[in-house]
Amino acid sequence: MTIDSQTSDRLLTEIERQQKYLDKLPEDFEFPLFNAAQALESQRRSGYRNTAAAAREIVDNAMEAGASRIDVCLAKPKQLKQYQRSESINAIAFIDNGSGMLPKMAQYALSWGSGTHFDDPSFIGKFGFGLPNASINQTRQVEVYTRTKADEPITMAKLDVREVKQHGLQTIGDPVEASLPDFVQAYLDKHGLPFDHGTVVVWVEPDRLTYRTLSTMREHLLDDFGVTYRYLLDRASIYIDGKKVEPVDPLFLTPGARYYLDPDKGGAEQSAEWNIAVKYALDPETGQMVLSRVADEAELDAADPNVVAMGAIYVRVSRFPYGFAEHKDGKAETDAHRRFEIRKSRRGMAFVRAKREIETVDVFPKSLRDQAKGLGDWPLLQSYAYHWGVEVRFEPALDEVFGITNDKQTVRPIEDLWRLFASKEIGIDAQLGREQTFQRKMRKAESDKRKAAEARQADAPTLGEAAAAKADSVAGQRPRVADHGKADAREAFEEEAKRRSKVNKVSIDAARKALEDEAKKRPYVIDFYDEARGPFYKPEWRHGTQVAVLINRQHAFFQTLYGPLLKTPDVGQAKHALDVLLIALARAELTVDDEQASLWYEAQRERHWSSFLNDAYRSLQQTMAPVDEETAEHETAGNPPGEDGDLEKAA
């Protein structure tokens, strides 16, 4: 059976489709492990989230080669193509002053699995995939220029995906003597850098860049490398187009790093840390691999044949105060905005291997099945998680425990690690839950403060105040000051008249007249005050005959009931009805003739009603809080648009 090679796959059965592709094979086809051309095209689309993630592989190799300086040079096109911008990127060169490579090694390094550190777990790299994998992810042609000594010629090896044949044995071409590309040499000359030894990796006409212009790519690499290599920048300096990369601690606990702020001045604080010695060993009784904690690192026995891996895991947790990291739509303008931008992509647990960050895991074991297996009770990573950070550091010896993939871009921790972290002795999951609770309570308190600050006496009589005044008209009885309170009311009236006279620069009589008119026009008024342990409201006479109800913005009554009512659209009927009720209570207390009865009202309001309401409303707040205590409002958590209540997916 022969199938026309031009026939669309959609018109073929599965067997006919198989025959179509078999017909394309040469008769002497030897069925290699990989079919190069098709495999390379598939490989181009896997593994890396963005250009910075791919570029890290080249930087890793430079550090492994002992480079003390690494430069990333971004080149613009010499001649613009149609629709191409003048600031577009035509090539990217990674220049290092490391040991360089032997000519054959440059050729070998462009093939998959050609690493030289597989048997040495102490290196950043290990699997030999980095250079070719990362390069073809971003470009179809990568060139490697290298030399080991100043008196040796520069040699160049390259991999061009476009030259790879569809079938048959594929090889990397022999290295040749070559000069550095003009833009690379110009960069070296501009910055006074020699190239006596080292390596230059050039991505020629990259076609899969995350950002197409020099300025945005420069910032992209500066920010990413600052975080990824924060613990290695004292060993090797990195420059992006001449600008030095500065370390960025996404937990903001490292003095001297970008955006760090001393805790005494409102900076992040370390809330917990653990240094956990572990071993990953075969259990002779069950025949299973088990990760366990070792009480003392000195107890680890490298000679134990059952031990596969051992080492220490260091974990730290940071807590951010209110306002330390804030979201802003558009361009970040302050350090608080920039911190939030960093946290946006690192909400979760950051894993750092050999001092190099691998990734931030934003999915914790969370399903009922995970909990039943003892993997912990981890918090949902919602908006509050922007405001705390957790970092896990380990050495490559524990790669199997952390499930490091061959591109060093991903961790897949084994279940035993989650069990260890969630154990009663360690309790990292419980600590993160406490961080969520702390942020929820702190942001709720700050929200209450903001709401309270917005509560002000209305400029004109409210509907509730007006309704109370009309009720007096219907009954034909206006409130009057009781005899026992007249002295205090008169004194307050005179003090306010003197103040108004001075402020408005009018006579004392004119000020008195204005106050009397105001009291007649507005016999009742709702106002506010602040007193941490004060009653939920207090009544007082103003302007001689005006009944004022002062609501305490720091009482749970305001925070739970009155404040939220102020936020309802157009301040609804319930708020005005509540005003009338408060006015009725205040009116009764202020106008009672019997002084003992007046004192009884005051005692009830301050000692009984306010205390009871405070306790009851606090309890109500806790009862009505989300079960997970993590659902954050946009305005209180500062999360970006579209991420309110953004639940993580189940692990």
Side-chain angles (χ1 to χ4, degrees):
M1 176 176 62
T2 301
I3 304 297
D4 187 343
S5 62
Q6 302 302 314
T7 303
S8 171
D9 287 355
R10 295 181 179 180
L11 301 178
L12 300 176
T13 66
E14 176 57 33
I15 299 302
E16 289 172 335
R17 185 183 296 109
Q18 293 176 22
Q19 188 63 53
K20 171 184 172 179
Y21 284 91
L22 287 174
D23 289 343
K24 293 181 180 181
L25 301 178
E27 292 189 8
D28 59 350
F29 187 65
E30 296 181 352
F31 296 92
L33 189 59
F34 295 102
N35 289 306
Q38 191 167 331
L40 287 178
E41 285 300 324
S42 175
Q43 196 71 17
R44 293 200 74 210
R45 291 164 174 80
S46 65
Y48 301 96
R49 293 188 301 274
N50 51 42
T51 297
R56 293 176 206 157
E57 298 278 19
I58 315 302
V59 175
D60 289 349
N61 291 342
M63 288 190 172
E64 298 288 357
S68 61
R69 174 165 177 150
I70 303 161
D71 287 75
V72 180
C73 174
L74 308 175
K76 295 187 290 187
K78 292 182 179 179
Q79 186 172 357
L80 295 179
K81 298 178 181 178
Q82 189 176 15
Y83 306 118
Q84 194 172 27
R85 298 171 62 179
S86 60
E87 285 292 304
S88 60
I89 298 172
N90 188 55
I92 300 180
F94 301 84
I95 309 166
D96 72 65
N97 65 352
S99 60
M101 289 188 276
L102 299 171
K104 288 291 184 183
M105 188 64 224
Q107 180 183 15
Y108 183 47
L110 286 169
S111 60
W112 276 256
S114 58
T116 59
H117 302 141
F118 193 82
D119 296 327
D120 186 351
S122 64
F123 279 74
I124 299 175
K126 179 176 178 179
F127 301 101
F129 279 60
L131 174 58
N133 223 35
S135 297
I136 68 162
N137 179 263
Q138 297 292 304
T139 183
R140 293 182 181 276
Q141 180 178 336
V142 54
E143 299 172 347
V144 179
Y145 299 81
T146 189
R147 71 185 337 168
T148 59
K149 297 178 182 178
D151 57 359
E152 291 180 348
I154 297 172
T155 60
M156 186 270 286
K158 74 173 183 177
L159 169 62
D160 190 337
V161 175
R162 295 164 297 189
E163 295 178 355
V164 175
K165 298 178 182 178
Q166 186 70 24
H167 301 294
L169 179 65
Q170 307 297 320
T171 60
I172 305 297
D174 292 334
V176 297
E177 291 188 16
S179 299
L180 294 175
D182 291 343
F183 80 94
V184 174
Q185 189 62 58
Y187 181 90
L188 293 173
D189 294 342
K190 177 181 178 181
H191 296 281
L193 300 173
F195 189 64
D196 297 335
H197 53 82
T199 300
V200 179
V201 175
V202 180
W203 291 349
V204 180
E205 296 184 353
D207 59 344
R208 301 190 72 238
L209 299 178
T210 306
Y211 300 100
R212 300 287 179 177
T213 61
L214 268 70
S215 59
T216 51
M217 179 61 74
R218 184 187 304 115
E219 292 304 312
H220 172 57
L221 296 178
L222 283 168
D223 287 344
D224 186 274
F225 287 1
V227 174
T228 300
Y229 298 104
R230 57 187 179 272
Y231 294 117
L232 295 170
L233 291 173
D234 57 347
R235 164 176 149 184
S237 299
I238 304 176
Y239 293 82
I240 311 298
D241 248 10
K243 187 171 183 179
K244 190 173 184 178
V245 174
E246 298 178 17
V248 179
D249 178 2
L251 273 63
F252 307 107
L253 295 174
T254 306
R258 289 174 74 189
Y259 313 128
Y260 171 80
L261 186 63
D262 189 282
D264 293 337
K265 298 179 180 179
E269 295 183 355
Q270 181 167 290
S271 56
E273 67 173 340
W274 297 264
N275 197 355
I276 312 165
V278 299
K279 67 176 180 180
Y280 188 48
L282 180 70
D283 185 333
E285 295 184 2
T286 64
Q288 295 182 335
M289 297 299 300
V290 177
L291 178 71
S292 59
R293 186 180 187 184
V294 179
D296 189 341
E297 206 169 336
E299 298 178 18
L300 295 173
D301 183 7
D304 186 341
N306 291 322
V307 175
V308 173
M310 59 184 181
I313 302 172
Y314 177 69
V315 184
R316 61 176 183 162
V317 179
S318 69
R319 175 182 295 174
F320 307 158
Y322 190 81
F324 181 73
E326 294 183 330
H327 171 67
K328 181 182 183 302
D329 292 321
K331 186 177 181 180
E333 295 177 352
T334 67
D335 280 356
H337 299 150
R338 296 181 186 98
R339 292 186 194 105
F340 194 88
E341 288 301 306
I342 290 170
R343 292 303 308 164
K344 277 171 62 176
S345 59
R346 288 172 170 81
R347 183 178 64 170
M349 184 176 286
F351 288 86
V352 178
R353 171 186 182 268
K355 296 186 176 182
R356 190 266 211 193
E357 182 170 288
I358 301 299
E359 80 164 326
T360 297
V361 171
D362 59 0
V363 178
F364 292 153
K366 193 63 182 173
S367 67
L368 294 177
R369 180 181 178 186
D370 290 333
Q371 294 182 26
K373 292 162 70 176
L375 303 190
D377 184 13
W378 298 89
L380 291 172
L381 292 181
Q382 294 184 317
S383 299
Y384 299 134
Y386 290 113
H387 304 286
W388 54 262
V390 55
E391 175 189 84
V392 178
R393 299 208 302 258
F394 64 98
E395 293 303 314
L398 295 174
D399 277 354
E400 288 195 45
V401 172
F402 287 88
I404 298 299
T405 55
N406 60 17
D407 59 6
K408 302 189 301 297
Q409 301 294 318
T410 307
V411 296
R412 292 290 181 267
I414 62 175
E415 289 187 349
D416 271 0
L417 183 65
W418 294 115
R419 289 192 185 94
L420 181 68
F421 282 175
S423 63
K424 290 183 179 180
E425 297 80 10
I426 299 174
I428 298 176
D429 58 339
Q431 178 63 34
L432 299 188
R434 286 191 287 272
E435 295 302 324
Q436 293 284 74
T437 299
F438 174 85
Q439 291 293 336
R440 177 183 62 81
K441 290 182 177 179
M442 178 181 67
R443 292 175 187 285
K444 175 65 167 60
E446 292 294 335
S447 175
D448 290 343
K449 288 181 183 178
R450 288 201 307 274
K451 291 176 181 177
E454 294 169 1
R456 293 285 183 270
Q457 176 185 318
D459 294 333
T462 66
L463 294 179
E465 295 168 5
K470 287 181 181 178
D472 284 342
S473 298
V474 171
Q477 185 178 1
R478 292 176 60 85
R480 62 178 182 81
V481 182
D483 288 344
H484 61 82
K486 285 182 178 179
D488 290 338
R490 185 168 58 250
E491 182 180 350
F493 178 80
E494 289 299 326
E495 286 183 1
E496 180 63 14
K498 291 176 183 178
R499 190 190 70 81
R500 293 275 188 101
S501 173
K502 185 176 180 180
V503 171
N504 298 332
K505 297 180 180 180
V506 296
S507 68
I508 189 70
D509 289 338
R512 290 191 187 106
K513 180 66 166 58
L515 290 176
E516 291 171 352
D517 290 343
E518 189 174 326
K520 290 178 181 178
K521 181 179 179 182
R522 193 174 185 178
Y524 298 102
V525 65
I526 299 292
D527 203 350
F528 303 88
Y529 81 108
D530 297 285
E531 188 177 330
R533 298 184 181 278
F536 75 102
Y537 88 94
K538 61 184 180 182
E540 69 177 25
W541 287 107
R542 281 187 181 175
H543 313 339
T545 59
Q546 184 186 63
V547 173
V549 179
L550 306 183
I551 299 172
N552 188 357
R553 288 176 292 205
Q554 295 192 31
H555 193 278
F557 166 79
F558 176 87
Q559 297 163 1
T560 309
L561 175 59
Y562 202 92
L565 286 177
L566 291 176
K567 293 294 183 181
T568 57
D570 301 323
V571 186
Q573 180 177 342
K575 183 267 181 189
H576 299 303
L578 183 57
D579 284 349
V580 172
L581 175 62
L582 292 172
I583 288 171
L585 293 173
R587 185 181 189 279
E589 182 175 344
L590 289 175
T591 59
V592 65
D593 288 325
D594 188 289
E595 188 171 2
Q596 291 300 317
S598 176
L599 292 174
W600 180 88
Y601 269 117
E602 182 178 346
Q604 290 296 314
R605 174 172 50 80
E606 293 187 354
R607 300 176 192 174
H608 301 290
W609 302 345
S610 292
S611 177
F612 174 81
L613 287 174
N614 186 69
D615 294 340
Y617 277 132
R618 294 293 183 199
S619 176
L620 186 62
Q621 286 176 352
Q622 295 176 1
T623 303
M624 297 181 66
V627 174
D628 54 32
E629 294 190 332
E630 299 163 25
T631 303
E633 298 178 8
H634 178 87
E635 64 177 342
T636 60
N639 55 314
E643 296 194 16
D644 296 68
D646 177 27
L647 300 179
E648 62 171 323
K649 296 178 181 178

